[in-house]
Amino acid sequence: RYWRPLEKFEDNEAALCIIPSGVVWRQYLKLMWRIIDQESSLQWILLESAAELLDWRNSTPCIMTEAGEYIKEASALQERNKMKQLVEEHPKNVSPLCDLSIREEGFDEWQVLNYPDMTVENRSKHALFRAGRLVGRGGASNIVLLVDNNENHENENDDLRVVCMDEFLSLFGERYPCAGMEELLALKSACEATYRRRNAPKVADDVENAEMTEEQVQQGLRSGTLARGRLEVTKANPKEAYVTSGKERYFVNLESDNFARALHHDMVVVKPLSESQWGRPVGRRRLVYNRTEEDEETEVESEGPVVPSAMLVSVMDNSRRQFVATMVDKPTGDERAILVVPFDIRIPKIRLQSRQWPAYVNQRLLVEIDGWEVGSSYPAGHLVKIIGPIGDLETEIDCLLYEHEIQLKPFSAKALACLPPKGSEWTISNSEIKQRRDLRSSHRIFSVDPPGCQDIDDTLHARALPNGDVEVGVHIADVTHFVKHESALDKEAQARGTTFYLVDRRFDMLPSLLSSDLCSLHGKTDRLAVSVIWVFSANLETIKSCWYGQTVIHNCQAMTYEQAHNILNDKAPDNPSLPPPPPLTAGSPVDPSLIGPLKEDLRILQRLTRKLRKDRETIGGAVDLSSGDLGTELKFSLDENGNPTKVMPKKELEIHNTIAEMMILANQSVAEKIYDTFPESSLLRIHRKVNDDQFDELESALKAGGIAFDGSSNMALAESLEKAKRTAKGNNVVNALWQSLATRAMSEALYISTGLKEEGVGLSHYGLGIDKYTHFTSPIRRYADVVVHKQLLAALAIDKLDAAVKQQTTSDLRLHLEQVPDSSVISILKGDGISGIKRPSEKTSLEVDGGFLDSLIEGASELVLGDSGSDQVANLNSEPQSKVISSAKELAPYTGSQVGRICDGLNRQNRMAKLSSLECQRLFLSLYFNDHFEVAHAVVTGLRANGLILYVPKFDLKGPLYLSDIKGDVQIDPSFVGLSPDAGFPSTLGFTNSPNCRRFPSGRCILKESNDGDSLEVMVSEGQKKCVFRALDVVSVQISCDLSDIRARVPLPRFHLVSSNMQIVGTTSVTTTVQPRNVTSKMIRGDEKETKVQSQISGVSTRNFRVNSMYEQLVSIEIIPVLSDKSLQRHASSVRLELSVDSAMPGRMVFGGFQNPDTRYATQEAAITSASEAATQRREAALASQQRRDQYDSSRAIERYATARMQRLAAQKRSARRAKGK
């Protein structure tokens, strides 16, 4: 073998090049990462042979135990991903080398030593030295091979420097004396200890409680002695969890479990325990106190019943993600180790190693868990980023998005380039109008939406026909006209999946040019739509026909729900005392000449939807989950700084049900249409039957009210809820509880691909009582609707082509469709726009390429809509006709598997959007109740040994009401137990906000169980009476929130008892008392004066800072719409300030002039220009790089020639000298 001699390591001033072995990578990855972060002059090489060795050690017993047995080596958590991340984050310092794949020209020891026949372990050792010689071939003397102490390299006769980690750190310290050697040595020891613990044989005193090996786990699962399921940690007590496996549900005590290193939502394996070992869940019996986040509380032994329990034995699949956390206390002892408290109370504290911890004070952190070592109380992790200061509203909302894994980047330049070049000046072309059915002059079309709505998806019409029949229609924005199939904008909309609505902002699925302007069906404006029009018999009993197609419509009046409600009830539609809304939003004053005709149209729709709703409930078994006046959707009024000043529940009117019922009808009709055409790839929305155990809470509440529960079917559930309403006798507070419990018990509705549905799973919608259902009516804010629009248009095109396919060949059909307009989205790979492209065809089917499908979908109206006399009519009462076209699958916009993948993403995004909206609502409730006391009615839903579980319908809040503190002292208003106001002792922390509350050390809370119903008795020894609570009691509570300590997380509002056992009958609304609080909010929301944030961490000084919220910054930006009429511009400017103060916030609203800054037209043009310039720069950089590579190749060729020539000359001289010697 050949190698060049190297100079001494210590004397070399060139940059070091370190090549670690595979074992070193596994054992010291964190240490090497720290060194790379500290010293950028070092060069590191990751060998392919090292990665191969790691894989081999994962699967092959290679570590000998003290007993002489060999075991497999355990890798660190996410080891390969971290190595990949290291290469990506440090591309200039860490270089992967595929040493097993490259060969050296001429002599290469690969063939001489026969590397392929070596064992993986032996090959890795030889490959390490081979890589050192390859890298140092140019004469470099700075190559260092880094090996483990246990690796034997004595047989290598090389001059390459081979060192272990101790020697390397010593040499590294000499070369870089300011590198923090003490910290590196400590980290080295920690890495070695972690490696030893991870690979130590599992030994336990009690074999039954030992962590099982993978083989034992698999054997136990096969034999049925073990069970598998998701670990669901409870919020009521984070030390308790449940695992559901099949029909069995097991209780897991995380505090006493010997193997409790699993996190919430991990897939785990449990071992069911015998009945004598069953546990008693504390969270079901007592309210758990969370006094401060750093305190670990030890609960008293519960007296509750035992439940089936299990013990964790293995984690099969972890759901580790990044967590928002906060450092609540400075480190003690080892000043590098700190504990951070996650936002999610179900996640344990996370241990971080960092000397930079002072920078984390009063900051929200994003951390990631690396692993959880055996014997450690906390998982170990690392910092990903610092999000922002505690208490800043923008930081808290960012935390909310991080917690729900929502990453919404601005629209890319490619996506914005798909928008119409004319921007807001775009108009409908005459050619487009000719291809559609024009309803502008023949139909009176209107919309009904929330106040200030900008993204108007749907409009309606209703009229009586001359023959007595009734025609109604739903007209939906034609988004697919602007969002071309598989375009960059289409792909980004699919990735977003939905529009995310928060209290004070929204994140649009589409750029605002489309969502708020061109696609939105604004009043007094011509727009493109996809329509569904039904003809009903005069008595509304029969649907005679249903028409689908693309249309051009004119929205004569964009009304709000309140305006439509007033018209129906013969009231003035508008309030003259309120300022008019901005242009292009719902709620503009109703034209007096339209009030009468609109009332007639609304009456028709009202009469029809009442019948449709009744049919769904009586025939389909639909479950009514509306909450009437006590709706759970909240409206927040914000001041100019974004602070909530008023909170009101959304009042539900009949007009809401009228519009919703029409949308349900449209979705149902479209679902049937696309399923008939594409039974293997339709996108439908299903709602599965609810499991019986999900109704436990509802069943218990109904039982407490003496009501029999039956959840065997949706119809039985609806009857049980209706019976409960009758029993409540007008008590709306209790009625709201039934609706809330039923809603929470419902399983989540899901999008599915009909060709991929699970066996035994139907296509019906349990809650709505409908056989087939989809989402068609909101394409501006839901991508599922965009997919359904594409499928509907393709289905209509197939219907029109059925007859043509029978008579025409593929070439004839292409010739016949030459006038169909080409898609503006050209796929070169598919041959779009390229003449002479030939594709294989079959005699029995119609072969249609992707480009033709794009044209077909875009121009479907030209094929389906000729004139009004050629309208396609489908009789909904007849059986679906079989399709004669054999290529329907080829004409489908998506395959079944593609729809399945889209549905998976949409289900996740919808779930995250819903959760983030609810969490944001709770955040603003905490802000509101920090500045206000409010008294409201609540209903008792659960009894605990130290308090109550309450539900407040007005704010859709459910939470605990504590009646005793952690020491067991009763804290209550003395009047409840017949004592004077000054009896007892002053209340302690946590009860100080409760009005007239006093502490009674002699008091007791006794939870009594009986056949007549459980009760909670509160008494004190000196009291004259006792206070008794039962399930379904209505009480009055004061709601407040103390934001004085928001270190770990923003606290939820807290309840304080004001009065008990109230009788509320026949009320239609809840009377509340609101009192402003003279306290300083700890949330920073851009006040005029700077707000001091007191440091909660000892040893850290208090600092003053002021952070303006995003809301304040956006409100300060003047956004002037592009209008031709200057008077309208002045009008928009005059009302902007007023609307920014009192506009209702949730849903599709105008947020004080808020717009996504990345989607305005000016930004669009700038992004397109920037993208063009960037593309030019990339091309120039590519050319320059190619030139450098050519020069390098040329230089290498010259170098190789010169080296070979020198070797030949040296050989000739040696031969000449030997000849002379002879």
Short mmCIF file of all heavy atoms in Angstrom, two decimals, residues 918-965:
data_model
loop_
_atom_site.label_atom_id
_atom_site.label_comp_id
_atom_site.label_asym_id
_atom_site.label_seq_id
_atom_site.Cartn_x
_atom_site.Cartn_y
_atom_site.Cartn_z
N LEU A 918 -59.44 27.49 18.98
CA LEU A 918 -59.95 27.39 20.34
C LEU A 918 -58.93 27.89 21.36
O LEU A 918 -59.28 28.58 22.32
CB LEU A 918 -60.30 25.93 20.64
CG LEU A 918 -61.52 25.36 19.91
CD1 LEU A 918 -61.67 23.87 20.22
CD2 LEU A 918 -62.79 26.10 20.30
N GLU A 919 -57.65 27.56 21.15
CA GLU A 919 -56.62 28.01 22.08
C GLU A 919 -56.45 29.52 22.03
O GLU A 919 -56.24 30.16 23.06
CB GLU A 919 -55.29 27.32 21.74
CG GLU A 919 -55.24 25.85 22.10
CD GLU A 919 -55.41 25.61 23.59
OE1 GLU A 919 -54.93 26.43 24.38
OE2 GLU A 919 -56.05 24.61 23.96
N CYS A 920 -56.57 30.09 20.85
CA CYS A 920 -56.48 31.55 20.74
C CYS A 920 -57.67 32.21 21.43
O CYS A 920 -57.53 33.25 22.08
CB CYS A 920 -56.41 31.97 19.27
SG CYS A 920 -56.07 33.72 19.02
N GLN A 921 -58.84 31.60 21.31
CA GLN A 921 -60.01 32.12 22.01
C GLN A 921 -59.79 32.08 23.51
O GLN A 921 -60.12 33.04 24.23
CB GLN A 921 -61.23 31.28 21.62
CG GLN A 921 -62.54 31.72 22.26
CD GLN A 921 -63.72 30.96 21.69
OE1 GLN A 921 -64.09 31.13 20.54
NE2 GLN A 921 -64.33 30.10 22.50
N ARG A 922 -59.19 31.00 24.02
CA ARG A 922 -58.92 30.92 25.45
C ARG A 922 -57.87 31.94 25.88
O ARG A 922 -57.95 32.50 26.98
CB ARG A 922 -58.45 29.51 25.80
CG ARG A 922 -59.52 28.43 25.60
CD ARG A 922 -59.07 27.11 26.18
NE ARG A 922 -60.06 26.07 25.95
CZ ARG A 922 -59.92 25.09 25.06
NH1 ARG A 922 -58.83 25.02 24.34
NH2 ARG A 922 -60.86 24.17 24.90
N LEU A 923 -56.88 32.18 25.01
CA LEU A 923 -55.87 33.18 25.33
C LEU A 923 -56.50 34.55 25.50
O LEU A 923 -56.20 35.28 26.46
CB LEU A 923 -54.81 33.20 24.22
CG LEU A 923 -53.80 34.36 24.26
CD1 LEU A 923 -52.96 34.29 25.53
CD2 LEU A 923 -52.91 34.34 23.02
N PHE A 924 -57.39 34.93 24.59
CA PHE A 924 -58.01 36.25 24.68
C PHE A 924 -59.02 36.31 25.83
O PHE A 924 -59.26 37.38 26.38
CB PHE A 924 -58.67 36.61 23.35
CG PHE A 924 -57.71 37.25 22.38
CD1 PHE A 924 -56.79 36.49 21.68
CD2 PHE A 924 -57.70 38.62 22.19
CE1 PHE A 924 -55.90 37.06 20.80
CE2 PHE A 924 -56.81 39.21 21.31
CZ PHE A 924 -55.90 38.42 20.62
N LEU A 925 -59.60 35.17 26.19
CA LEU A 925 -60.45 35.16 27.38
C LEU A 925 -59.62 35.44 28.63
O LEU A 925 -60.05 36.17 29.53
CB LEU A 925 -61.16 33.82 27.51
CG LEU A 925 -62.41 33.61 26.66
CD1 LEU A 925 -62.93 32.19 26.82
CD2 LEU A 925 -63.49 34.61 26.99
N SER A 926 -58.41 34.87 28.69
CA SER A 926 -57.54 35.14 29.82
C SER A 926 -57.16 36.61 29.87
O SER A 926 -57.13 37.23 30.95
CB SER A 926 -56.28 34.27 29.74
OG SER A 926 -56.59 32.90 29.87
N LEU A 927 -56.89 37.21 28.72
CA LEU A 927 -56.58 38.64 28.68
C LEU A 927 -57.78 39.46 29.14
O LEU A 927 -57.64 40.44 29.89
CB LEU A 927 -56.19 39.05 27.26
CG LEU A 927 -54.92 38.43 26.67
CD1 LEU A 927 -54.70 38.95 25.27
CD2 LEU A 927 -53.72 38.72 27.54
N TYR A 928 -58.95 39.07 28.70
CA TYR A 928 -60.16 39.83 29.06
C TYR A 928 -60.42 39.74 30.56
O TYR A 928 -60.69 40.75 31.22
CB TYR A 928 -61.34 39.28 28.27
CG TYR A 928 -62.67 39.89 28.66
CD1 TYR A 928 -63.00 41.18 28.29
CD2 TYR A 928 -63.58 39.16 29.42
CE1 TYR A 928 -64.22 41.75 28.65
CE2 TYR A 928 -64.79 39.71 29.79
CZ TYR A 928 -65.10 41.00 29.40
OH TYR A 928 -66.31 41.56 29.78
N PHE A 929 -60.34 38.53 31.11
CA PHE A 929 -60.66 38.37 32.53
C PHE A 929 -59.52 38.82 33.44
O PHE A 929 -59.69 38.88 34.65
CB PHE A 929 -61.02 36.91 32.82
CG PHE A 929 -62.36 36.51 32.29
CD1 PHE A 929 -62.48 35.50 31.36
CD2 PHE A 929 -63.50 37.17 32.72
CE1 PHE A 929 -63.72 35.15 30.85
CE2 PHE A 929 -64.75 36.82 32.22
CZ PHE A 929 -64.86 35.81 31.29
N ASN A 930 -58.38 39.13 32.87
CA ASN A 930 -57.34 39.75 33.67
C ASN A 930 -57.69 41.20 34.00
O ASN A 930 -57.28 41.73 35.04
CB ASN A 930 -56.00 39.70 32.93
CG ASN A 930 -54.88 40.33 33.72
OD1 ASN A 930 -54.52 39.84 34.79
ND2 ASN A 930 -54.33 41.42 33.23
N ASP A 931 -58.48 41.83 33.13
CA ASP A 931 -58.85 43.23 33.32
C ASP A 931 -60.30 43.39 33.76
O ASP A 931 -60.75 44.51 34.01
CB ASP A 931 -58.65 44.01 32.01
CG ASP A 931 -57.19 44.03 31.58
OD1 ASP A 931 -56.33 44.07 32.48
OD2 ASP A 931 -56.91 43.99 30.37
N HIS A 932 -61.05 42.30 33.82
CA HIS A 932 -62.47 42.40 34.17
C HIS A 932 -62.86 41.25 35.11
O HIS A 932 -62.37 40.12 34.96
CB HIS A 932 -63.37 42.32 32.93
CG HIS A 932 -63.09 43.38 31.91
ND1 HIS A 932 -62.06 43.28 31.00
CD2 HIS A 932 -63.71 44.56 31.65
CE1 HIS A 932 -62.05 44.35 30.22
NE2 HIS A 932 -63.05 45.14 30.60
N PHE A 933 -63.71 41.56 36.06
CA PHE A 933 -64.43 40.52 36.80
C PHE A 933 -65.80 40.37 36.14
O PHE A 933 -66.44 41.36 35.81
CB PHE A 933 -64.64 40.92 38.27
CG PHE A 933 -63.40 40.89 39.09
CD1 PHE A 933 -63.00 41.99 39.82
CD2 PHE A 933 -62.62 39.74 39.16
CE1 PHE A 933 -61.86 41.96 40.58
CE2 PHE A 933 -61.47 39.70 39.93
CZ PHE A 933 -61.09 40.82 40.64
N GLU A 934 -66.23 39.14 35.96
CA GLU A 934 -67.56 38.94 35.38
C GLU A 934 -68.26 37.81 36.11
O GLU A 934 -67.66 36.77 36.39
CB GLU A 934 -67.48 38.65 33.88
CG GLU A 934 -68.84 38.54 33.23
CD GLU A 934 -68.80 38.94 31.76
OE1 GLU A 934 -67.79 39.48 31.31
OE2 GLU A 934 -69.81 38.68 31.08
N VAL A 935 -69.51 38.03 36.42
CA VAL A 935 -70.33 37.03 37.10
C VAL A 935 -71.26 36.39 36.08
O VAL A 935 -71.95 37.10 35.34
CB VAL A 935 -71.13 37.65 38.26
CG1 VAL A 935 -72.03 36.61 38.91
CG2 VAL A 935 -70.18 38.27 39.28
N ALA A 936 -71.29 35.06 36.04
CA ALA A 936 -72.11 34.35 35.06
C ALA A 936 -72.63 33.07 35.69
O ALA A 936 -72.14 32.60 36.71
CB ALA A 936 -71.29 34.04 33.81
N HIS A 937 -73.65 32.50 35.06
CA HIS A 937 -74.22 31.24 35.52
C HIS A 937 -73.38 30.07 35.04
O HIS A 937 -72.84 30.09 33.92
CB HIS A 937 -75.65 31.09 35.02
CG HIS A 937 -76.58 32.15 35.54
ND1 HIS A 937 -77.69 32.56 34.84
CD2 HIS A 937 -76.55 32.88 36.68
CE1 HIS A 937 -78.31 33.51 35.54
NE2 HIS A 937 -77.63 33.71 36.65
N ALA A 938 -73.30 29.05 35.86
CA ALA A 938 -72.57 27.83 35.52
C ALA A 938 -73.36 26.63 36.01
O ALA A 938 -74.16 26.74 36.94
CB ALA A 938 -71.18 27.84 36.14
N VAL A 939 -73.14 25.50 35.38
CA VAL A 939 -73.82 24.27 35.78
C VAL A 939 -72.78 23.27 36.25
O VAL A 939 -71.68 23.16 35.68
CB VAL A 939 -74.66 23.70 34.61
CG1 VAL A 939 -73.80 23.43 33.39
CG2 VAL A 939 -75.39 22.44 35.03
N VAL A 940 -73.08 22.56 37.31
CA VAL A 940 -72.17 21.57 37.89
C VAL A 940 -72.19 20.32 37.01
O VAL A 940 -73.24 19.69 36.85
CB VAL A 940 -72.56 21.23 39.34
CG1 VAL A 940 -71.63 20.15 39.90
CG2 VAL A 940 -72.51 22.48 40.21
N THR A 941 -71.05 19.96 36.48
CA THR A 941 -70.95 18.76 35.64
C THR A 941 -70.25 17.61 36.35
O THR A 941 -70.35 16.46 35.91
CB THR A 941 -70.21 19.07 34.34
OG1 THR A 941 -68.85 19.40 34.64
CG2 THR A 941 -70.85 20.22 33.60
N GLY A 942 -69.51 17.90 37.42
CA GLY A 942 -68.81 16.84 38.14
C GLY A 942 -68.52 17.23 39.57
O GLY A 942 -68.37 18.42 39.89
N LEU A 943 -68.47 16.23 40.42
CA LEU A 943 -68.18 16.43 41.84
C LEU A 943 -66.84 15.80 42.16
O LEU A 943 -66.54 14.69 41.73
CB LEU A 943 -69.27 15.80 42.72
CG LEU A 943 -70.71 16.26 42.46
CD1 LEU A 943 -71.68 15.44 43.31
CD2 LEU A 943 -70.87 17.74 42.76
N ARG A 944 -66.01 16.52 42.92
CA ARG A 944 -64.73 16.02 43.37
C ARG A 944 -64.64 16.18 44.89
O ARG A 944 -65.40 16.93 45.48
CB ARG A 944 -63.58 16.76 42.68
CG ARG A 944 -63.54 16.60 41.17
CD ARG A 944 -63.27 15.17 40.76
NE ARG A 944 -63.12 15.03 39.31
CZ ARG A 944 -64.11 14.72 38.50
NH1 ARG A 944 -65.34 14.53 38.99
NH2 ARG A 944 -63.90 14.60 37.20
N ALA A 945 -63.69 15.51 45.49
CA ALA A 945 -63.57 15.52 46.95
C ALA A 945 -63.16 16.88 47.49
O ALA A 945 -63.30 17.12 48.69
CB ALA A 945 -62.57 14.46 47.39
N ASN A 946 -62.66 17.76 46.65
CA ASN A 946 -62.24 19.07 47.11
C ASN A 946 -62.77 20.21 46.24
O ASN A 946 -62.27 21.33 46.30
CB ASN A 946 -60.71 19.15 47.16
CG ASN A 946 -60.08 18.81 45.82
OD1 ASN A 946 -60.73 18.25 44.94
ND2 ASN A 946 -58.81 19.12 45.67
N GLY A 947 -63.77 19.95 45.42
CA GLY A 947 -64.31 21.00 44.58
C GLY A 947 -65.29 20.49 43.55
O GLY A 947 -65.79 19.36 43.63
N LEU A 948 -65.55 21.32 42.55
CA LEU A 948 -66.55 21.03 41.52
C LEU A 948 -65.94 21.21 40.14
O LEU A 948 -64.97 21.95 39.95
CB LEU A 948 -67.75 21.97 41.66
CG LEU A 948 -68.39 22.12 43.04
CD1 LEU A 948 -69.42 23.25 43.01
CD2 LEU A 948 -69.04 20.81 43.47
N ILE A 949 -66.52 20.53 39.18
CA ILE A 949 -66.25 20.79 37.76
C ILE A 949 -67.45 21.55 37.21
O ILE A 949 -68.59 21.06 37.30
CB ILE A 949 -66.03 19.48 36.97
CG1 ILE A 949 -64.87 18.69 37.57
CG2 ILE A 949 -65.75 19.79 35.51
CD1 ILE A 949 -63.54 19.37 37.45
N LEU A 950 -67.21 22.73 36.65
CA LEU A 950 -68.29 23.59 36.19
C LEU A 950 -68.19 23.83 34.69
O LEU A 950 -67.11 23.74 34.09
CB LEU A 950 -68.23 24.95 36.91
CG LEU A 950 -68.33 24.95 38.44
CD1 LEU A 950 -68.27 26.38 38.96
CD2 LEU A 950 -69.60 24.26 38.90
N TYR A 951 -69.34 24.14 34.11
CA TYR A 951 -69.41 24.54 32.71
C TYR A 951 -70.16 25.85 32.63
O TYR A 951 -71.29 25.97 33.13
CB TYR A 951 -70.10 23.46 31.87
CG TYR A 951 -70.32 23.89 30.43
CD1 TYR A 951 -69.23 24.07 29.57
CD2 TYR A 951 -71.60 24.14 29.94
CE1 TYR A 951 -69.41 24.47 28.26
CE2 TYR A 951 -71.79 24.54 28.63
CZ TYR A 951 -70.70 24.71 27.79
OH TYR A 951 -70.89 25.11 26.49
N VAL A 952 -69.52 26.86 32.01
CA VAL A 952 -70.13 28.17 31.82
C VAL A 952 -70.52 28.30 30.35
O VAL A 952 -69.66 28.48 29.49
CB VAL A 952 -69.16 29.30 32.22
CG1 VAL A 952 -69.82 30.66 32.03
CG2 VAL A 952 -68.71 29.13 33.66
N PRO A 953 -71.82 28.18 30.03
CA PRO A 953 -72.24 28.17 28.63
C PRO A 953 -71.90 29.46 27.89
O PRO A 953 -71.57 29.43 26.71
CB PRO A 953 -73.76 27.95 28.70
CG PRO A 953 -73.99 27.34 30.04
CD PRO A 953 -72.95 27.92 30.94
N LYS A 954 -71.98 30.59 28.57
CA LYS A 954 -71.80 31.87 27.88
C LYS A 954 -70.44 31.95 27.21
O LYS A 954 -70.30 32.49 26.11
CB LYS A 954 -71.98 33.02 28.86
CG LYS A 954 -71.77 34.38 28.21
CD LYS A 954 -71.99 35.52 29.17
CE LYS A 954 -71.75 36.85 28.45
NZ LYS A 954 -71.93 38.00 29.35
N PHE A 955 -69.41 31.42 27.87
CA PHE A 955 -68.06 31.50 27.34
C PHE A 955 -67.51 30.15 26.92
O PHE A 955 -66.32 30.05 26.62
CB PHE A 955 -67.13 32.14 28.38
CG PHE A 955 -67.55 33.51 28.83
CD1 PHE A 955 -68.08 33.70 30.10
CD2 PHE A 955 -67.46 34.59 27.99
CE1 PHE A 955 -68.48 34.95 30.52
CE2 PHE A 955 -67.86 35.85 28.39
CZ PHE A 955 -68.37 36.04 29.66
N ASP A 956 -68.36 29.12 26.94
CA ASP A 956 -67.94 27.77 26.58
C ASP A 956 -66.71 27.37 27.38
O ASP A 956 -65.75 26.81 26.85
CB ASP A 956 -67.66 27.67 25.08
CG ASP A 956 -67.50 26.22 24.63
OD1 ASP A 956 -68.15 25.35 25.23
OD2 ASP A 956 -66.72 25.96 23.69
N LEU A 957 -66.72 27.68 28.66
CA LEU A 957 -65.61 27.38 29.55
C LEU A 957 -65.96 26.21 30.45
O LEU A 957 -67.04 26.18 31.03
CB LEU A 957 -65.27 28.60 30.42
CG LEU A 957 -64.38 29.68 29.80
CD1 LEU A 957 -64.23 30.84 30.77
CD2 LEU A 957 -63.02 29.13 29.42
N LYS A 958 -65.05 25.30 30.58
CA LYS A 958 -65.19 24.19 31.51
C LYS A 958 -63.94 24.12 32.36
O LYS A 958 -62.82 24.13 31.83
CB LYS A 958 -65.39 22.87 30.76
CG LYS A 958 -65.63 21.68 31.67
CD LYS A 958 -65.79 20.40 30.85
CE LYS A 958 -66.01 19.19 31.78
NZ LYS A 958 -66.13 17.94 31.01
N GLY A 959 -64.13 24.08 33.69
CA GLY A 959 -62.96 24.08 34.54
C GLY A 959 -63.31 23.80 35.99
O GLY A 959 -64.47 23.63 36.35
N PRO A 960 -62.28 23.78 36.85
CA PRO A 960 -62.50 23.43 38.26
C PRO A 960 -62.88 24.65 39.10
O PRO A 960 -62.51 25.79 38.80
CB PRO A 960 -61.14 22.88 38.69
CG PRO A 960 -60.17 23.66 37.85
CD PRO A 960 -60.85 23.89 36.54
N LEU A 961 -63.62 24.39 40.15
CA LEU A 961 -63.88 25.37 41.20
C LEU A 961 -63.41 24.74 42.51
O LEU A 961 -64.00 23.76 42.97
CB LEU A 961 -65.35 25.75 41.27
CG LEU A 961 -65.71 26.89 42.25
CD1 LEU A 961 -66.90 27.68 41.73
CD2 LEU A 961 -66.03 26.36 43.65
N TYR A 962 -62.34 25.26 43.08
CA TYR A 962 -61.75 24.69 44.29
C TYR A 962 -62.52 25.19 45.50
O TYR A 962 -62.79 26.39 45.65
CB TYR A 962 -60.28 25.09 44.40
CG TYR A 962 -59.40 24.50 43.34
CD1 TYR A 962 -59.21 25.14 42.11
CD2 TYR A 962 -58.76 23.29 43.55
CE1 TYR A 962 -58.40 24.60 41.14
CE2 TYR A 962 -57.94 22.74 42.57
CZ TYR A 962 -57.76 23.38 41.37
OH TYR A 962 -56.97 22.85 40.40
N LEU A 963 -62.84 24.26 46.40
CA LEU A 963 -63.50 24.61 47.66
C LEU A 963 -62.58 24.39 48.86
O LEU A 963 -62.91 24.80 49.97
CB LEU A 963 -64.77 23.78 47.83
CG LEU A 963 -65.87 24.05 46.80
CD1 LEU A 963 -67.03 23.10 47.01
CD2 LEU A 963 -66.35 25.50 46.88
N SER A 964 -61.45 23.74 48.65
CA SER A 964 -60.45 23.61 49.70
C SER A 964 -59.07 23.71 49.08
O SER A 964 -58.90 23.42 47.89
CB SER A 964 -60.60 22.28 50.45
OG SER A 964 -60.33 21.19 49.59
N ASP A 965 -58.09 24.14 49.88
CA ASP A 965 -56.74 24.32 49.35
C ASP A 965 -55.95 23.02 49.46
O ASP A 965 -56.47 21.97 49.85
CB ASP A 965 -56.03 25.47 50.07
CG ASP A 965 -55.96 25.25 51.58
OD1 ASP A 965 -56.01 24.08 52.02
OD2 ASP A 965 -55.87 26.24 52.32
#
